[in-house]
Each structure stands twice: as C-alpha cells, then as structure tokens.
Amino acid sequence: MSRINLVTAEQANEQQLALFAAIEKQLGVVPNFLKVFANSPAALTAFLGLHGIANDGELDGKTKERIALGLAEQNACQYCVSAHTAIGKNAGLSGDEMLANRAGGSQDAKAAVAVKFSRSLAEHNGDVTTAELLEIRNAGYSDAEIVEIITHVGMNFLTNILGKASRVEIDFPKIDLQKAS
C-alpha cells in the first residue's frame, strides 16, 4: 500500500484530470507513480515537462531505458525496475540486455559506457572524474548526449526516490531486485 495518496480520477480536481487526460492520451494509462506525483499538480507538470524535453534529445530510446534500468537497480527501486523492464521490452531490449543494464553494463560496448557513467554520476553526486568524461567522449558520445545522460540521471533519481519514499504499488509486471553480490 502506498504511503502517499494515489490521486484517482474520482478524487482529482480539474487540473489533475487534465494532466491525467494528457498522460492517458500518450501512454494509454496513468501509472501509479504519476498518481502519486499528482498530489502536487505543479510537481507533476514539472516532471512531465522535464520528461518531454529529455525525450526530444539526441540520446536514443534504448540507451535511455538502459540508463533507467541501471539506476533503478542501483537505487533499489523495485517499482522503477519493474516499470522500465516493461518499457525496455517495448523499446526492443532483450531480457539478457536488461539484466546487464541492471548490473551496470550492456551487451553493446558504447551503451555500456553510458550505463557505467550514469551510475557513477548517481553514486558520486555528479562528481565524476576527468577520466570518466574522457571515456564517455571516446565511446562516441557528444557533449549534448553527455548533458542528456546527466539529465536522465537526475530525472530517474527523482522517480526512484519518489517510488521508494511512497512505496507506491507496482502496476507493471513485478520484477524482483537483483541480489547484491
């Protein structure tokens, strides 16, 4: 049971209903974590705006999902691991690839560097080394893509902490967190 209220359509005010309609038009459903966000229409609007901008960038969709999976596992957010496993499948990621992402890597050499970099950003609160920046540049990522990776780290960290703080009920096929080795 969620520790923060899930705003339902029956409870929603006019502003929340308008946000839900926009989400449903795009996704077909309103996921539970967005119903938690809806407690503050301003916060939900800000998140949707950031999400929209972040999805318009140069970084490809599969890499975005790889990053989301790597961070969700690192931050132990079962809701986000479950959600991004479902989204990752829709984006064309294989089960083995998603397991590699959750472990901090990728079967794709270039994407592995992005996942590793994103996890380092989160672990070190952005204080990455010059060597890490050189590694991601040498893997072929532009400064624009590096900034987008940083943006995705921030956005995913936000959803990870919302999912964990609220203990929102998982409304995707439930995926267990990997055991720490």
Side-chain angles (χ1 to χ4, degrees), residues 17-42:
L17 285 172
L19 289 165
F20 284 174
I23 293 164
E24 203 163 340
K25 183 178 180 184
Q26 186 176 7
L27 302 178
V29 297
V30 180
N32 282 346
F33 90 99
L34 293 176
K35 292 176 184 176
V36 171
F37 252 123
N39 281 285
S40 168

mmCIF file of all heavy atoms in Angstrom, residues 17-42:
data_model
loop_
_atom_site.group_PDB
_atom_site.id
_atom_site.type_symbol
_atom_site.label_atom_id
_atom_site.label_comp_id
_atom_site.label_asym_id
_atom_site.label_seq_id
_atom_site.Cartn_x
_atom_site.Cartn_y
_atom_site.Cartn_z
ATOM 1 N N LEU A 17 -7.246 16.211 -13.458
ATOM 2 C CA LEU A 17 -7.925 15.476 -14.533
ATOM 3 C C LEU A 17 -7.350 15.824 -15.901
ATOM 4 O O LEU A 17 -7.192 14.940 -16.755
ATOM 5 C CB LEU A 17 -9.435 15.748 -14.504
ATOM 6 C CG LEU A 17 -10.212 15.053 -13.392
ATOM 7 C CD1 LEU A 17 -11.660 15.559 -13.360
ATOM 8 C CD2 LEU A 17 -10.172 13.537 -13.559
ATOM 9 N N ALA A 18 -7.029 17.083 -16.114
ATOM 10 C CA ALA A 18 -6.434 17.496 -17.388
ATOM 11 C C ALA A 18 -5.059 16.845 -17.575
ATOM 12 O O ALA A 18 -4.736 16.385 -18.680
ATOM 13 C CB ALA A 18 -6.321 19.021 -17.453
ATOM 14 N N LEU A 19 -4.273 16.784 -16.506
ATOM 15 C CA LEU A 19 -2.967 16.131 -16.578
ATOM 16 C C LEU A 19 -3.132 14.635 -16.851
ATOM 17 O O LEU A 19 -2.426 14.057 -17.682
ATOM 18 C CB LEU A 19 -2.176 16.364 -15.288
ATOM 19 C CG LEU A 19 -1.670 17.793 -15.096
ATOM 20 C CD1 LEU A 19 -1.232 18.026 -13.653
ATOM 21 C CD2 LEU A 19 -0.526 18.093 -16.065
ATOM 22 N N PHE A 20 -4.072 14.001 -16.162
ATOM 23 C CA PHE A 20 -4.331 12.576 -16.383
ATOM 24 C C PHE A 20 -4.756 12.313 -17.826
ATOM 25 O O PHE A 20 -4.333 11.333 -18.438
ATOM 26 C CB PHE A 20 -5.408 12.067 -15.425
ATOM 27 C CG PHE A 20 -4.944 11.853 -14.000
ATOM 28 C CD1 PHE A 20 -5.864 11.508 -13.030
ATOM 29 C CD2 PHE A 20 -3.620 11.986 -13.622
ATOM 30 C CE1 PHE A 20 -5.477 11.297 -11.708
ATOM 31 C CE2 PHE A 20 -3.211 11.787 -12.310
ATOM 32 C CZ PHE A 20 -4.143 11.440 -11.350
ATOM 33 N N ALA A 21 -5.594 13.181 -18.383
ATOM 34 C CA ALA A 21 -6.040 13.011 -19.771
ATOM 35 C C ALA A 21 -4.854 13.073 -20.727
ATOM 36 O O ALA A 21 -4.767 12.274 -21.668
ATOM 37 C CB ALA A 21 -7.085 14.071 -20.121
ATOM 38 N N ALA A 22 -3.933 14.000 -20.490
ATOM 39 C CA ALA A 22 -2.745 14.118 -21.349
ATOM 40 C C ALA A 22 -1.858 12.884 -21.222
ATOM 41 O O ALA A 22 -1.333 12.380 -22.227
ATOM 42 C CB ALA A 22 -1.966 15.378 -20.983
ATOM 43 N N ILE A 23 -1.701 12.388 -20.003
ATOM 44 C CA ILE A 23 -0.878 11.186 -19.777
ATOM 45 C C ILE A 23 -1.517 9.984 -20.445
ATOM 46 O O ILE A 23 -0.856 9.210 -21.144
ATOM 47 C CB ILE A 23 -0.692 10.943 -18.264
ATOM 48 C CG1 ILE A 23 0.155 12.059 -17.645
ATOM 49 C CG2 ILE A 23 -0.055 9.573 -18.009
ATOM 50 C CD1 ILE A 23 0.076 12.120 -16.128
ATOM 51 N N GLU A 24 -2.828 9.831 -20.246
ATOM 52 C CA GLU A 24 -3.538 8.694 -20.815
ATOM 53 C C GLU A 24 -3.505 8.723 -22.341
ATOM 54 O O GLU A 24 -3.373 7.683 -22.990
ATOM 55 C CB GLU A 24 -4.978 8.660 -20.312
ATOM 56 C CG GLU A 24 -5.578 7.285 -20.385
ATOM 57 C CD GLU A 24 -6.817 7.139 -19.531
ATOM 58 O OE1 GLU A 24 -7.042 7.935 -18.605
ATOM 59 O OE2 GLU A 24 -7.563 6.190 -19.827
ATOM 60 N N LYS A 25 -3.575 9.910 -22.908
ATOM 61 C CA LYS A 25 -3.503 10.044 -24.372
ATOM 62 C C LYS A 25 -2.152 9.536 -24.882
ATOM 63 O O LYS A 25 -2.076 8.877 -25.916
ATOM 64 C CB LYS A 25 -3.715 11.497 -24.777
ATOM 65 C CG LYS A 25 -3.723 11.720 -26.274
ATOM 66 C CD LYS A 25 -3.983 13.163 -26.626
ATOM 67 C CE LYS A 25 -3.979 13.350 -28.134
ATOM 68 N NZ LYS A 25 -4.137 14.748 -28.508
ATOM 69 N N GLN A 26 -1.092 9.816 -24.142
ATOM 70 C CA GLN A 26 0.244 9.419 -24.569
ATOM 71 C C GLN A 26 0.560 7.967 -24.222
ATOM 72 O O GLN A 26 1.137 7.252 -25.021
ATOM 73 C CB GLN A 26 1.294 10.336 -23.936
ATOM 74 C CG GLN A 26 2.699 10.085 -24.434
ATOM 75 C CD GLN A 26 3.703 11.060 -23.861
ATOM 76 O OE1 GLN A 26 3.407 11.856 -22.986
ATOM 77 N NE2 GLN A 26 4.909 10.987 -24.357
ATOM 78 N N LEU A 27 0.190 7.524 -23.014
ATOM 79 C CA LEU A 27 0.582 6.196 -22.540
ATOM 80 C C LEU A 27 -0.527 5.155 -22.584
ATOM 81 O O LEU A 27 -0.256 3.969 -22.455
ATOM 82 C CB LEU A 27 1.107 6.281 -21.094
ATOM 83 C CG LEU A 27 2.288 7.196 -20.823
ATOM 84 C CD1 LEU A 27 2.632 7.182 -19.345
ATOM 85 C CD2 LEU A 27 3.490 6.790 -21.666
ATOM 86 N N GLY A 28 -1.764 5.608 -22.664
ATOM 87 C CA GLY A 28 -2.883 4.682 -22.613
ATOM 88 C C GLY A 28 -3.380 4.414 -21.198
ATOM 89 O O GLY A 28 -4.477 3.913 -21.005
ATOM 90 N N VAL A 29 -2.580 4.717 -20.211
ATOM 91 C CA VAL A 29 -2.903 4.550 -18.787
ATOM 92 C C VAL A 29 -2.192 5.642 -18.001
ATOM 93 O O VAL A 29 -1.285 6.302 -18.524
ATOM 94 C CB VAL A 29 -2.456 3.177 -18.232
ATOM 95 C CG1 VAL A 29 -3.164 2.026 -18.914
ATOM 96 C CG2 VAL A 29 -0.955 2.998 -18.339
ATOM 97 N N VAL A 30 -2.579 5.802 -16.742
ATOM 98 C CA VAL A 30 -1.865 6.687 -15.828
ATOM 99 C C VAL A 30 -1.190 5.792 -14.793
ATOM 100 O O VAL A 30 -1.856 5.257 -13.905
ATOM 101 C CB VAL A 30 -2.810 7.698 -15.145
ATOM 102 C CG1 VAL A 30 -2.016 8.604 -14.195
ATOM 103 C CG2 VAL A 30 -3.547 8.533 -16.177
ATOM 104 N N PRO A 31 0.131 5.575 -14.909
ATOM 105 C CA PRO A 31 0.825 4.726 -13.939
ATOM 106 C C PRO A 31 0.711 5.274 -12.512
ATOM 107 O O PRO A 31 0.591 6.486 -12.301
ATOM 108 C CB PRO A 31 2.283 4.752 -14.415
ATOM 109 C CG PRO A 31 2.208 5.137 -15.858
ATOM 110 C CD PRO A 31 1.029 6.066 -15.956
ATOM 111 N N ASN A 32 0.771 4.364 -11.557
ATOM 112 C CA ASN A 32 0.601 4.745 -10.156
ATOM 113 C C ASN A 32 1.574 5.824 -9.699
ATOM 114 O O ASN A 32 1.203 6.705 -8.923
ATOM 115 C CB ASN A 32 0.710 3.522 -9.244
ATOM 116 C CG ASN A 32 -0.557 2.705 -9.240
ATOM 117 O OD1 ASN A 32 -1.610 3.143 -9.698
ATOM 118 N ND2 ASN A 32 -0.462 1.490 -8.725
ATOM 119 N N PHE A 33 2.830 5.793 -10.150
ATOM 120 C CA PHE A 33 3.771 6.799 -9.664
ATOM 121 C C PHE A 33 3.363 8.201 -10.120
ATOM 122 O O PHE A 33 3.602 9.185 -9.417
ATOM 123 C CB PHE A 33 5.229 6.466 -10.013
ATOM 124 C CG PHE A 33 5.725 7.010 -11.322
ATOM 125 C CD1 PHE A 33 6.479 8.179 -11.360
ATOM 126 C CD2 PHE A 33 5.474 6.354 -12.508
ATOM 127 C CE1 PHE A 33 6.953 8.687 -12.559
ATOM 128 C CE2 PHE A 33 5.953 6.852 -13.712
ATOM 129 C CZ PHE A 33 6.689 8.017 -13.734
ATOM 130 N N LEU A 34 2.690 8.303 -11.274
ATOM 131 C CA LEU A 34 2.200 9.606 -11.710
ATOM 132 C C LEU A 34 0.971 10.022 -10.896
ATOM 133 O O LEU A 34 0.733 11.215 -10.705
ATOM 134 C CB LEU A 34 1.904 9.601 -13.203
ATOM 135 C CG LEU A 34 3.147 9.456 -14.094
ATOM 136 C CD1 LEU A 34 2.763 9.369 -15.561
ATOM 137 C CD2 LEU A 34 4.144 10.580 -13.859
ATOM 138 N N LYS A 35 0.220 9.052 -10.388
ATOM 139 C CA LYS A 35 -0.899 9.354 -9.488
ATOM 140 C C LYS A 35 -0.379 9.876 -8.150
ATOM 141 O O LYS A 35 -1.037 10.690 -7.507
ATOM 142 C CB LYS A 35 -1.775 8.127 -9.290
ATOM 143 C CG LYS A 35 -2.535 7.721 -10.543
ATOM 144 C CD LYS A 35 -3.317 6.440 -10.321
ATOM 145 C CE LYS A 35 -3.987 5.979 -11.602
ATOM 146 N NZ LYS A 35 -4.664 4.677 -11.409
ATOM 147 N N VAL A 36 0.805 9.422 -7.730
ATOM 148 C CA VAL A 36 1.441 9.974 -6.528
ATOM 149 C C VAL A 36 1.903 11.401 -6.826
ATOM 150 O O VAL A 36 1.647 12.332 -6.058
ATOM 151 C CB VAL A 36 2.621 9.104 -6.041
ATOM 152 C CG1 VAL A 36 3.393 9.797 -4.935
ATOM 153 C CG2 VAL A 36 2.123 7.738 -5.566
ATOM 154 N N PHE A 37 2.580 11.587 -7.948
ATOM 155 C CA PHE A 37 3.024 12.921 -8.364
ATOM 156 C C PHE A 37 1.859 13.900 -8.403
ATOM 157 O O PHE A 37 2.011 15.086 -8.102
ATOM 158 C CB PHE A 37 3.650 12.865 -9.768
ATOM 159 C CG PHE A 37 5.138 13.039 -9.819
ATOM 160 C CD1 PHE A 37 5.934 12.060 -10.398
ATOM 161 C CD2 PHE A 37 5.757 14.179 -9.338
ATOM 162 C CE1 PHE A 37 7.300 12.216 -10.483
ATOM 163 C CE2 PHE A 37 7.126 14.350 -9.422
ATOM 164 C CZ PHE A 37 7.897 13.358 -9.983
ATOM 165 N N ALA A 38 0.668 13.422 -8.780
ATOM 166 C CA ALA A 38 -0.499 14.286 -8.972
ATOM 167 C C ALA A 38 -0.972 14.954 -7.693
ATOM 168 O O ALA A 38 -1.756 15.905 -7.754
ATOM 169 C CB ALA A 38 -1.643 13.501 -9.598
ATOM 170 N N ASN A 39 -0.476 14.510 -6.527
ATOM 171 C CA ASN A 39 -0.808 15.219 -5.291
ATOM 172 C C ASN A 39 -0.414 16.685 -5.406
ATOM 173 O O ASN A 39 -1.047 17.541 -4.817
ATOM 174 C CB ASN A 39 -0.108 14.558 -4.089
ATOM 175 C CG ASN A 39 -0.834 13.318 -3.645
ATOM 176 O OD1 ASN A 39 -1.887 13.403 -3.026
ATOM 177 N ND2 ASN A 39 -0.284 12.159 -3.986
ATOM 178 N N SER A 40 0.640 16.932 -6.161
ATOM 179 C CA SER A 40 1.053 18.301 -6.456
ATOM 180 C C SER A 40 0.995 18.475 -7.970
ATOM 181 O O SER A 40 1.919 18.045 -8.680
ATOM 182 C CB SER A 40 2.477 18.572 -5.965
ATOM 183 O OG SER A 40 2.942 19.800 -6.501
ATOM 184 N N PRO A 41 -0.062 19.073 -8.481
ATOM 185 C CA PRO A 41 -0.117 19.289 -9.929
ATOM 186 C C PRO A 41 1.103 20.049 -10.453
ATOM 187 O O PRO A 41 1.554 19.795 -11.572
ATOM 188 C CB PRO A 41 -1.410 20.091 -10.122
ATOM 189 C CG PRO A 41 -2.279 19.649 -8.983
ATOM 190 C CD PRO A 41 -1.311 19.493 -7.826
ATOM 191 N N ALA A 42 1.662 20.938 -9.638
ATOM 192 C CA ALA A 42 2.862 21.671 -10.064
ATOM 193 C C ALA A 42 4.042 20.714 -10.237
ATOM 194 O O ALA A 42 4.792 20.811 -11.214
ATOM 195 C CB ALA A 42 3.205 22.764 -9.055
#
